[in-house]
């Protein structure tokens, strides 16, 4: 049974990934709140930015970094602290985690999945901070995929709006939900499980020849105009 470290596995997409894998893998969930109790789940309470990551005695075969931010403000209202905080959550936290478990990932020829956003490819107002941070995640993915080729696979998923607690302000009533659907060519936004299914595929041996990719899951919003 493979051991998969999931940062942020108690909510949203992270929880959906845990739900997908918990019966077939050993899950190490690291988050501020615990995931559900299950024989294959071990929870560690940790603030990724402020605290030291736990030592994990089990071999780490794969890693998923789920924390993100949706800080939608005009550039005029965004402060330097906003940019720094978003960068810390999206980029520095991922780097800190990768450094903590790098040796085990290399030993086991592991797979890493990070998360970006459609905002890196589709210019949208009020997304300056998140687009800047997630663009850095994409650059990190490609660079590390090259550096660790034959040792660790690195891929990033770039979802559009997903029905998670993080996006609840964007989908807080039926009118907003319908409006969000209409913005997408497929007339829908994403559910957590749809993103989790792609993440689990990228972690699996079925994706053994996929690395260095930024894969959109976007209901057509980036590349299709109807």
């Amino acid at each position: 049974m493979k051991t998969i470290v999931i940062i942020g596995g108690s909510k949203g997409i992270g929880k959906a990934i845990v739900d997908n894998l918990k019966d077939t893998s050993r899950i190490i969930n690291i988050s501020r709140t615990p995931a559900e109790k299950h024989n294959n789940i071990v929870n560690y309470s940790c603030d990724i930015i402020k605290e030291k990551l736990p030592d994990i005695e089990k071999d780490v075969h794969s890693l998923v970094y789920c924390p993100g931010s949706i800080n939608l403000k005009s550039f005029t209202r965004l402060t330097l602290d906003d940019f720094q905080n978003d960068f810390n959550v999206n980029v520095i936290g991922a780097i800190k985690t990768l450094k903590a478990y790098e040796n085990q990932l290399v030993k086991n020829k592991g797979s890493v999945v990070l998360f970006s956003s459609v905002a890196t490819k589709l210019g949208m107002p009020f997304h300056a901070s998140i687009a800047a941070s997630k663009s850095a995640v994409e650059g990190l993915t490609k660079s590390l995929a090259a550096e660790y080729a034959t040792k660790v696979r690195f891929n990033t998923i770039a979802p559009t709006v997903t029905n998670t607690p993080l996006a609840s302000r964007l989908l807080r009533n039926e009118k907003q939900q319908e409006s969000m659907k209409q913005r997408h060519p497929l007339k829908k936004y994403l559910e957590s499980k749809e993103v989790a299914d792609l993440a689990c595929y990228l972690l699996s041996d079925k994706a053994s020849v996929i690395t260095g990719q930024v894969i959109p899951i976007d209901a057509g919003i980036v590349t299709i105009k109807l």
Side-chain angles (χ1 to χ4, degrees):
M1 185 177 287
K2 291 185 177 181
T3 298
I4 301 175
V5 173
I6 300 179
I7 310 299
S10 62
K11 297 179 182 178
I13 293 170
K15 181 180 184 302
I17 295 171
V18 170
D19 289 342
N20 197 315
L21 295 172
K22 65 186 179 185
D23 293 327
T24 57
S25 304
R26 184 182 297 107
I27 304 296
I28 308 294
N29 172 57
I30 303 174
S31 59
R32 286 180 289 187
T33 55
E36 67 173 286
K37 291 184 179 180
H38 188 281
N39 288 340
N40 291 338
I41 299 175
V42 176
N43 287 295
Y44 288 94
S45 178
C46 180
D47 184 322
I48 298 300
I49 304 303
K50 298 178 181 178
E51 299 174 348
K52 181 181 181 295
L53 286 155
D55 294 324
I56 297 174
E57 295 180 1
K58 302 285 186 181
D59 279 348
V60 175
H61 297 88
S62 298
L63 186 149
V64 187
Y65 185 84
C66 299
S69 56
I70 301 180
N71 188 11
L72 304 184
K73 297 179 183 177
S74 67
F75 186 73
T76 300
R77 291 180 56 223
L78 283 168
T79 66
L80 291 179
D81 283 343
D82 285 324
F83 279 93
Q84 186 65 65
N85 291 337
D86 285 340
F87 195 83
N88 285 342
V89 170
N90 291 284
V91 186
I92 299 302
I95 293 170
K96 182 178 177 180
T97 304
L98 289 169
K99 283 190 166 291
Y101 306 118
E102 172 189 7
N103 291 339
Q104 293 184 63
L105 288 166
V106 169
K107 174 186 174 183
N108 292 298
K109 293 190 175 181
S111 176
V112 172
V113 172
L114 306 176
F115 283 91
S116 181
S117 164
V118 294
T120 66
K121 298 293 188 295
L122 180 65
M124 294 183 283
F126 313 122
H127 283 69
S129 184
I130 186 63
S133 293
K134 291 302 192 181
S135 294
V137 171
E138 295 185 6
L140 179 70
T141 298
K142 293 178 181 295
S143 180
L144 292 181
E147 187 171 337
Y148 287 83
T150 75
K151 298 176 182 177
V152 181
R153 294 188 297 110
F154 290 85
N155 291 291
T156 284
I157 297 172
T160 188
V161 173
T162 307
N163 187 14
T164 66
L166 189 64
S168 59
R169 288 191 303 112
L170 303 177
L171 303 170
R172 63 178 176 265
N173 56 51
E174 290 184 6
K175 182 179 179 180
Q176 285 188 300
Q177 292 166 16
E178 185 59 30
S179 175
M180 191 62 69
K181 290 177 181 178
Q182 293 304 316
R183 290 181 60 192
H184 293 78
L186 295 185
K187 305 307 178 190
K188 62 175 293 185
Y189 47 82
L190 304 180
E191 296 297 330
S192 297
K193 186 181 184 305
E194 294 170 312
V195 184
D197 286 344
L198 177 55
C200 293
Y201 171 73
L202 291 172
L203 294 174
S204 75
D205 293 338
K206 293 178 181 179
S208 62
V209 294
I210 301 176
T211 192
Q213 300 301 308
V214 177
I215 302 175
I217 177 170
D218 63 359
I221 196 171
V222 171
T223 54
I224 299 174
K225 182 175 175 59
L226 299 181

